[in-house]
């Protein structure tokens, strides 16, 4: 869902106020231009991995809940 989509701000605006607002709006990272493309790629890879891990955790919890429910029956 969009509420769980990690947002990385990539901007030329380095002001502390703008950065604080970005984080306040849900940014997970804030990168000021000029940026290192390899660093950006690495950060995106980390967030993709975290998203996949979170999705796997939710799936595991659901399977455990289903197994517990079957035990109770």
């Amino acid at each position: 869902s969009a509420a769980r989509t990690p947002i990385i701000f990539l901007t030329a605006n380095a002001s502390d106020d703008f950065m604080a607002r970005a984080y306040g709006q849900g940014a997970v990272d804030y990168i000021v231009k000029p940026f290192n493309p390899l660093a950006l790629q690495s950060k995106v890879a980390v967030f993709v991995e975290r998203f996949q891990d979170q999705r796997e955790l939710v799936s595991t919890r659901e399977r455990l809940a289903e197994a517990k429910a079957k035990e109770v029956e």
Side-chain angles (χ1 to χ4, degrees):
S1 80
R4 296 183 189 157
T5 302
I7 299 170
I8 300 173
F9 275 73
L10 179 59
T11 180
N13 190 338
S15 79
D16 290 339
D17 290 339
F18 192 81
M19 187 182 304
R21 285 193 321 212
Y23 281 116
Q25 293 297 315
V28 295
D29 206 345
Y30 190 95
I31 302 171
V32 178
K33 295 179 188 178
F35 65 95
N36 179 324
L38 293 176
L40 177 60
Q41 183 178 13
S42 177
K43 288 175 183 257
V44 169
V46 167
F47 287 118
V48 167
E49 184 177 341
R50 288 183 66 196
F51 175 80
Q52 291 169 338
D53 289 347
Q54 182 67 25
R55 191 168 59 185
E56 185 178 329
L57 180 59
V58 168
S59 177
T60 300
R61 285 181 179 162
E62 289 171 353
R63 287 195 310 271
L64 284 171
E66 290 171 7
K68 273 188 163 183
K70 287 181 182 179
E71 287 178 3
V72 173
E73 293 176 359

